[in-house]
Coordinates of all heavy atoms in Angstrom, one line a residue:
V18 N 15.0 73.0 71.0 CA 14.9 74.2 70.2 C 15.9 75.2 70.7 O 16.7 75.8 69.9 CB 13.5 74.8 70.3 CG1 13.5 76.2 69.6 CG2 12.5 73.9 69.6
E57 N 1.3 91.3 92.9 CA 0.4 92.0 91.9 C 1.2 92.5 90.7 O 0.8 92.3 89.6 CB -0.4 93.1 92.6 CG -1.5 92.6 93.5 CD -2.5 91.7 92.9 OE1 -2.9 92.0 91.7 OE2 -2.9 90.7 93.5
P68 N 16.8 92.8 97.5 CA 15.8 92.4 98.4 C 14.4 92.3 97.8 O 13.6 91.4 98.2 CB 15.8 93.5 99.5 CG 17.3 93.9 99.5 CD 17.7 93.9 98.1
S92 N 9.5 63.5 84.7 CA 9.6 62.9 86.0 C 10.9 63.3 86.7 O 10.9 63.6 87.9 CB 9.4 61.4 86.0 OG 8.1 61.0 85.5
A94 N 12.7 65.9 86.1 CA 12.7 67.3 86.4 C 12.0 67.6 87.7 O 12.4 68.4 88.6 CB 12.0 68.1 85.3
L163 N 16.8 75.3 58.8 CA 15.8 75.3 60.0 C 16.2 76.4 60.9 O 15.3 77.1 61.5 CB 15.8 74.0 60.7 CG 15.1 72.8 60.0 CD1 15.3 71.5 60.8 CD2 13.6 73.1 59.9
F170 N 10.6 82.8 62.8 CA 9.6 82.6 63.9 C 9.8 83.5 65.0 O 8.9 84.1 65.6 CB 9.6 81.1 64.3 CG 8.5 80.8 65.4 CD1 7.2 80.8 65.0 CD2 8.9 80.5 66.7 CE1 6.2 80.5 66.0 CE2 7.9 80.2 67.6 CZ 6.6 80.2 67.3
Q171 N 11.1 83.7 65.4 CA 11.4 84.7 66.5 C 11.0 86.1 66.1 O 10.5 86.8 67.0 CB 13.0 84.7 66.7 CG 13.5 83.5 67.4 CD 15.0 83.6 67.5 OE1 15.5 84.5 68.2 NE2 15.8 82.8 66.8
K205 N 9.9 87.9 78.1 CA 9.2 89.1 78.5 C 8.7 90.0 77.4 O 7.6 90.5 77.4 CB 10.1 90.0 79.5 CG 10.4 89.3 80.8 CD 9.2 89.1 81.7 CE 8.7 90.4 82.3 NZ 9.3 90.7 83.6
F250 N 29.8 70.5 80.7 CA 29.5 71.9 80.6 C 28.1 72.2 80.8 O 27.2 71.6 80.2 CB 30.0 72.4 79.2 CG 29.7 73.9 79.0 CD1 30.5 74.8 79.7 CD2 28.7 74.3 78.2 CE1 30.3 76.2 79.4 CE2 28.5 75.7 78.0 CZ 29.3 76.6 78.6
G252 N 26.7 75.5 81.1 CA 26.3 76.8 80.7 C 25.9 77.6 81.9 O 25.0 78.5 81.8

Side-chain angles (χ1 to χ4, degrees):
V18 171
E57 292 297 325
S92 296
L163 283 174
F170 183 67
Q171 288 179 66
K205 293 294 287 276
F250 180 71

